[in-house]
Amino acid sequence: MERTFVMIKPDGVRRGLTADILAIFLRKGYRLLGLKLMRISRELAERHYAEHQGKAFFEPLLAFMTGGPVVAMVLAEKRAGSCLNRTTSWLNTLTSR
């Protein structure tokens, strides 16, 4: 079983999409290993998005990610990485409305 980290960002939490998104993963066969509703500190956001430091969108990204609660979760599946890419591509189109 591969493990993967998934985060529902502040806008998804604010829009009430957490249960729907989680249900999609569970229906796809993922196992939920852990889930936490949390607020990200600036320090944690800086570490998580360190690869983007120095880019024009870095500060707005930090403000967005620290501006509300997120749902952090760990999921497991036989091929979590490859399956997750297909699932999140579909979810991005669904939740961008």
Side-chain angles (χ1 to χ4, degrees), residues 1 25-26 29-34 74-77:
M1 290 286 233
F25 284 114
L26 296 176
Y30 290 89
R31 288 185 40 226
L32 179 64
L33 301 180
V74 177
L75 301 172
E77 208 270 343

Side-chain angles (χ1 to χ4, degrees), residues 6-63:
V6 175
M7 180 170 35
I8 302 174
K9 297 176 182 171
D11 58 336
V13 173
R14 194 170 15 261
R15 291 171 53 199
L17 299 174
T18 301
D20 294 335
I21 292 170
L22 180 56
I24 290 167
F25 284 114
L26 296 176
R27 278 195 307 272
K28 294 274 187 183
Y30 290 89
R31 288 185 40 226
L32 179 64
L33 301 180
L35 181 140
K36 184 176 184 178
L37 176 66
M38 60 186 289
R39 288 191 76 106
I40 297 178
S41 68
R42 182 176 172 90
E43 178 186 12
L44 179 57
E46 286 175 349
R47 283 196 322 252
H48 187 75
Y49 293 105
E51 67 191 79
H52 301 300
Q53 192 163 8
K55 297 178 183 171
F57 61 86
F58 186 67
E59 286 301 322
L61 175 62
L62 295 183

